[in-house]
Amino acid sequence: MLRSSLLPLALAAALGACGDDLRARPDAPTGDGRPPPPSGPFDTLPLTKDLVAPVGMPVHAARDRYGVMHIQAATVRDLGYAQGYVMAHDRLAQMDILRRFGDGTLAELFGGVNQGSIETDLQMRMHRMKPLAEQTWATLQASTDPDDVQVVALLTGFADGVNAVAKELQEGKLVLDPAITTLAPLTFRPWSPIDSLVLGRFQALSLSFTAPLEILLTRIYQGARQRFDQATAADPAAFARRGVSADLMTVTPPGQAPTIDGFPNVDVDTGTRSDAGRPISTVRAAASAPRPKAARAARARRSAVKQPTTSLELLSNAVEFFAPRLPQGPQAFMVPHAGSNDWVVGPAMAGGKALLAGDQHLSLPNPSIFYPVHLTVPGELDVFGQTFPGIPGVILGANGKAAWSSTVVFHDVNDVYDEHIHACAVGGGDCVTHNGAEVPLETRTETFKIGVLGSILREMQVTYEVVPHHGPLIPKIENGMVVPRTGDALSIRYTGYDPTFEIRALWRLGRAKTVDDGFAALRDFSYGGQNWVLIDDQGDIGWTSNAKVPLRAPAAYTWNPATNPDGLAPWFVLPADGSADWQGYLSSRYVPHAINPAQGFLATANSDPVGATFDGDPLNGPVVDGRPLYVGVTYAAGLRSERIVDRIRDAATRGPVTLEDLAAIQHDSRSNAGFHLRDAVVAALAYVGDSTGAPPDVAGYLNSLTTEERARLIDAHARLAAWTLETPTGLGAATPAQQADSSATAIWNVTMHYFFEKTLGDEFAAMTQNVFSLDENFLVRLAQRMLVQPSTMVPSATSGQPILCDDMNDAGADQSCTRKVMEATLAALTQLDTLMGSTDPASWRWGKLHTLTLKPLAPEPRLELPAPDSAQAGGYPKPGDEFAVNRADCGWEDLDFSQDADGPAQRFLAEAEPGKPIRMRFQHPGGVVFDRSSKHYKDLLENTYLAQTHVDVPFSIPEIVAAGEERWVFRQ
């Protein structure tokens, strides 16, 4: 699995010397002799800032008790200015790092002391985010569309507000926390609207770019095909594993609760569209479920197109190119780890109301990756919600009439091609062959500046190669440099490599009054794809995953693990000769969506939205225009979705579903992996006490154990059998039952680490691959089959259980999964003795291992939460484990069970009732203001997030005043 690594300590040391220069007097009202500011909506609050600003009319802002700013302006441009100012006041250092990550200029800050920042820039420049943002900006500026005019005004005003703060820092009128050492005001690059558009593109890329995972899956599948499927009897261990490539590529998820049952508008065209577009006027293409014989015949006709035999070295180099090289901050919310939950409940289940819940699973740095704000232009806009620092407006939230949230949908919107490169027959240079014709490669040169905090030390130039009809070639990096290509390469085609207009979609979404308006607004959210759920005050609920989903040539959908293992699939590397190219985009009638479904609710959590993968073959769905309907395969394992759906239905049996029910679901910390797998593990451990009926290798293994080891396994069996599947920390005032569950949770998760290591580790090593490079969503799929559905996998000739459980390096009799469960559990118990500092399982507490620390984007212990010198040094104890709805993933790849980089980056609830403004509640993992001296530095983390309580959003003027602490005024 792709993981982040910390910047060297040298970076912190180098940056630490720069912090003292930023000390200045604290913020205060101007006191410049001007007359008192004109009256505004927040006059009863104390005035703490009276700012001279280039605004047409005075702008009034109030900060409430949660640190959130509520801004009211007369024009959109002035609103943008005030939002840019207050956001930069609270988060400028974070904004600067994030924009530099997106446009590939981090090395200007860190390159002089950290090689990883240079390599990250090399990666990000391949995506051309800044040039594409420049094209979008030029189009918006030239447009006369009223919405585009307002978007330009918002972006321009926002940039001016950010730069006003930068100027005040340069003049010493504002002060940064001295621990913030990543921002040097004198070398700060002025903010521009293009920077905000770059951040929008980066956000969309990070939540939709699955090419690295597809390359990894190809690497594993082809490695298994070569090492095992093609083995001869001369290599008995590999020969016994013929066919395991299909086992390793299992796509059937353990949790099977789709958002809707099948693709929309297949059997009956309801007229709905994922983008609210009108029905297409041309004749509707015939859609039908494939008949088995016809499907097999179609596959046979297209089987002449084979998977390219891509060099494993080339695939490995590509995987390495995308490996994170920075702290958990910017890059940790790149796929495959990004996730989220959101769902909506309709009036029939919620007592006449429409309810919404959403929590986005992104990185958890300090400061938090989201910035909450309330923006008002009377008669034009009134919206509260969250945005990413550096992006004006609101991305997720509500406006009194409608509310919306989103999760990653994992539509397959990119393809990787195996390019065979040769010298051009005419004109010199290098060419590829496409549809029988030579096509010359294009090149572009990028200049990289390398320095420390914007002081440039040196420059370097790098040339990127591009296949015109596909996209950029993935470079090879050695020692921080792109080295010349010496042979074939992989190219990437991606919907994000064209100019797009997400900012326009968000502007329109902020003013949507109905679910239909929301659908229409999201037409411009075409880059990547999100599960958007919406409610309105008319009682409507909706869900759309609108995006540009490529239609490939029919040959690209021919893979089947049993009947055509060499066929093509969009999630594998494809041939570059034109046989698997894009041929347009899926009609919005079929892109998964729904409005007011009969089931009464809609739930998403990054899993298969329509159930296309549930039978193990994503390519045998309804056929349209000669190809099966297909939108993706790299989904989450369905465990969170399944639990959310079960809890919604359970809540409905007790009466109308309420916001309190939704809050409880957001905090659900049941082990969903344990729900599916625990009984199989318990059944295997039961043989320790009585081996009757056990596989033949178990008796010998048990005889090799000491009396104490057997007793420990029997005790672990009892603890796991009694486990309620809840995952409490077990600390503080925990009850005996919670302490028992806490001990069992620790045993469970350490056992899972050793189970994967002891069963799959040898096969992956034989393919020169780390077993934990495979995403947890695929690992848990494999565990489900090995432990719960063993008959579906290649069996051992002696144990009858999956051959993958056998140690291929042991020449003795095949080892069973049952024995491996025992071995893994015993290894876990031994390891827990050390991790817990005690050999008594009754004293083990999950909260000692499973903790959360929020870290800054560059190493600086003073900015960690909890602080290293605080009473909670080492991390906040957290409930939950892998795949819990209350996401607190600890990972199984090593023995560090602290919560990794991902978790709910905010939690949001909304309730819509006819005739009333939408009621909102939220949580935040941190504070709004990135300054340790501010009361809003960590208050939301401690008072709402860790406490698992939501707070009501003050939305009306009286509510804002009642919750207000201070007011600011912007005026000429």
Side-chain angles (χ1 to χ4, degrees), residues 77-135:
R77 188 266 167 200
D78 290 350
L79 180 76
Y81 179 91
Q83 186 184 11
Y85 186 96
V86 301
M87 186 185 290
H89 177 278
D90 296 346
R91 301 283 191 90
L92 184 60
Q94 179 189 29
M95 293 164 60
D96 188 43
I97 287 183
L98 289 174
R99 69 163 167 173
R100 288 180 176 279
F101 189 93
D103 67 16
T105 58
L106 268 181
E108 294 180 15
L109 294 182
F110 306 138
V113 292
N114 177 252
Q115 185 67 34
S117 64
I118 301 173
E119 296 182 13
T120 297
D121 282 356
L122 292 170
Q123 178 194 136
M124 298 308 293
R125 293 280 187 99
M126 186 191 77
H127 299 303
R128 299 186 66 246
M129 289 193 185
K130 187 171 184 177
L132 291 167
E134 289 170 340
Q135 293 180 50

Side-chain angles (χ1 to χ4, degrees), residues 659-727:
L659 278 190
E660 288 67 30
D661 292 323
L662 270 56
I665 297 173
Q666 285 187 333
H667 297 137
D668 186 295
S669 295
R670 186 190 75 169
S671 176
N672 294 320
F675 174 77
H676 278 269
L677 304 174
R678 184 271 307 269
D679 289 352
V681 169
V682 167
L685 291 175
Y687 287 120
V688 178
D690 181 357
S691 62
T692 304
D697 64 318
V698 167
Y701 172 71
L702 293 177
N703 289 334
S704 71
L705 300 179
T706 66
T707 301
E708 180 185 2
E709 288 171 336
R710 293 185 68 153
R712 298 200 77 186
L713 286 175
I714 290 172
D715 179 74
H717 167 261
R719 293 181 183 279
L720 290 175
W723 184 28
T724 69
L725 302 179
E726 295 301 321
T727 59

Side-chain angles (χ1 to χ4, degrees), residues 249 270 291 344 372 391 434 465 480 611 642 770 885 887 961:
M249 285 299 107
T270 64
R291 297 174 183 175
V344 288
I391 301 178
H434 185 253
E465 297 177 297
E642 178 184 67
N770 182 347
V885 173
R887 186 169 178 183
V961 171

